[in-house]
């Protein structure tokens, strides 16, 4: 097995976990299943992720970042074109459907994580974390649209963000079931008009726009749900034999928690050196 920087190996394992979940559901994502899908040892998975919860968190972050790409692009293009608030928000509504169609399977997984966490106490903290990340992402987009056009809201932005996030989830879930593009687009536009209704002077001319303002907000929106990337530039390597040694002590059985094995023979994941490669 080739040696890779830690961040690259983590990304590989997240992609493998997403494939497992897409094929068999979120609850099928286990350390053993991910290792088999990725073609790596169990020790490698345990070294890269402290436990299954951390792996699920990374999956959610990856999904959220992909899902935000389309609307971030619409927000930036609209701001650069000097659109008024109402027009910009409705452009974002169109981008929501385009992003949903592009990332159908990943959006389905994110909703599945939420519903699984609602009935499975072990996954409840992960579902809550993903819910919070979704609201934060919506808030950054809502604030970005307002700042790009010089608009203020007549409602608390936190409340508005939670309402928009909940409406968006409902529209997406309906589309995932019925596949009705037109109905989904109408619903997204209705949601956009609801946002407009809470804005002061939404049809007024946009303020003189400083590109740095929106770029700053877009940078925050794009990374609001991203995993910590401090290890991205690390490229030191670790001897591959560590993985094989770790496997020798791995118990053939594992439960959904799969938290105990992380500390057995793999080093402390919480304190692992960021310069390692696996």
């Amino acid at each position: 097995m080739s040696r890779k920087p830690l961040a690259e190996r983590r990304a590989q394992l997240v992609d493998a976990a997403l494939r497992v979940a897409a094929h068999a559901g979120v609850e099928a994502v286990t350390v053993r299943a991910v290792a088999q899908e990725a073609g790596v040892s169990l020790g490698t998975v345990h070294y890269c992720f402290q436990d299954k919860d951390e792996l699920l968190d990374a999956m959610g972050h990856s999904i959220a970042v992909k899902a935000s790409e389309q609307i971030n692009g619409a927000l930036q293009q609209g701001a650069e074109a000097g659109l008024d608030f109402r027009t910009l928000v409705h452009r974002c509504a169109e981008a929501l459907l385009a992003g949903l169609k592009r990332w159908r399977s990943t959006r389905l997984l994110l909703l599945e994580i939420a519903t699984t966490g609602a009935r499975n106490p072990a996954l409840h903290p992960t579902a809550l974390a993903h819910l919070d990340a979704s609201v934060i992402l919506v808030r950054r987009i809502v604030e970005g649209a307002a700042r790009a056009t010089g608009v203020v809201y007549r409602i608390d932005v936190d409340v508005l963000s939670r309402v928009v996030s909940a409406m968006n989830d409902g529209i997406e879930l309906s589309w995932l079931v019925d596949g009705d593009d037109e109905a989904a687009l109408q619903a997204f536009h209705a949601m956009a008009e609801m946002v407009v209704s809470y804005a002061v002077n939404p049809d007024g001319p946009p303020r003189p726009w400083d590109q740095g303002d929106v770029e700053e907000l877009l940078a925050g929106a794009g990374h609001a749900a991203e995993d910590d990337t401090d290890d991205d530039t690390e490229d030191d390597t670790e001897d591959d034999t560590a993985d094989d040694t770790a496997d020798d002590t791995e118990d053939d059985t594992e439960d959904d928690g799969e938290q105990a094995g992380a500390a057995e023979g793999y080093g402390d994941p919480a304190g692992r050196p960021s310069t390692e490669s696996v």
Side-chain angles (χ1 to χ4, degrees):
M1 181 183 67
S2 62
R3 293 170 291 183
K4 295 183 178 180
L6 180 59
E8 185 178 342
R9 182 66 76 189
R10 283 171 61 93
Q12 176 196 9
L13 295 176
V14 167
D15 287 343
L18 290 172
R19 291 195 298 271
V20 171
H23 177 70
V26 172
E27 290 181 302
V29 177
T30 64
V31 170
R32 187 173 299 279
V34 172
Q36 182 175 359
E37 177 68 25
V40 301
S41 67
L42 289 167
T44 295
V45 181
H46 279 306
Y47 184 82
C48 293
F49 295 98
Q50 183 174 358
D51 52 32
K52 179 178 174 178
D53 288 344
E54 185 181 3
L55 176 57
L56 288 172
D57 284 343
M59 291 168 60
H61 296 330
S62 176
I63 293 170
V65 169
K66 290 177 180 178
S68 67
E69 291 175 353
Q70 210 85 17
I71 193 167
N72 285 347
L75 183 58
Q76 185 167 14
Q77 291 170 14
E80 290 172 346
L83 300 181
D84 62 77
F85 180 77
R86 184 188 300 272
T87 304
L88 178 58
V89 171
H90 279 280
R91 288 283 181 86
C92 289
E94 295 168 359
L96 284 172
L97 179 59
L100 177 59
K101 295 174 69 174
R102 179 182 179 188
W103 300 109
R104 183 186 186 283
S105 61
T106 54
R107 292 302 297 162
L108 180 61
L109 284 177
L110 195 59
L111 291 171
E112 185 180 350
I113 289 173
T115 55
T116 302
R119 71 172 184 271
N120 185 341
L123 295 180
H124 189 246
T126 298
L128 279 177
H130 292 169
L131 176 63
D132 290 342
S134 295
V135 174
I136 290 171
L137 184 62
V138 169
R139 176 178 177 133
R140 292 187 181 277
I141 292 170
V142 165
E143 289 179 331
R147 285 187 58 183
T149 55
V151 162
V152 296
Y153 295 106
R154 61 179 90 247
I155 184 176
D156 182 81
V157 176
D158 286 332
V159 174
L160 179 60
S161 299
R162 290 191 67 86
V163 171
V164 171
S165 179
M167 290 180 68
N168 181 72
D169 286 348
I171 295 169
E172 289 189 349
L173 182 58
S174 295
W175 181 86
L176 287 167
V177 173
D178 63 29
D180 189 333
D181 291 355
E182 185 60 30
L185 184 60
Q186 290 177 354
F188 280 132
H189 278 300
M191 181 175 71
E193 197 58 33
M194 183 271 294
V195 173
V196 170
S197 72
Y198 286 113
V200 177
N201 193 25
D203 300 308
R207 67 170 174 79
W209 178 60
D210 178 359
Q211 182 171 350
D213 288 345
V214 174
E215 287 180 346
E216 178 183 354
L217 282 163
L218 289 175
H223 297 290
E226 279 187 307
D227 201 1
D228 182 9
T229 57
D230 288 344
D231 293 325
D232 283 352
T233 59
E234 301 295 348
D235 56 7
D236 291 343
T237 58
E238 176 184 80
D239 191 347
D240 289 338
T241 58
D243 292 335
D244 297 332
T245 301
D247 269 350
D248 291 341
T249 62
E250 181 68 27
D251 193 324
D252 286 338
T253 61
E254 66 180 8
D255 57 21
D256 285 339
E258 298 186 90
Q259 299 177 2
E264 298 177 6
Y266 313 118
D268 179 9
R272 58 180 176 263
S274 61
T275 56
E276 296 288 355
S277 296
V278 289

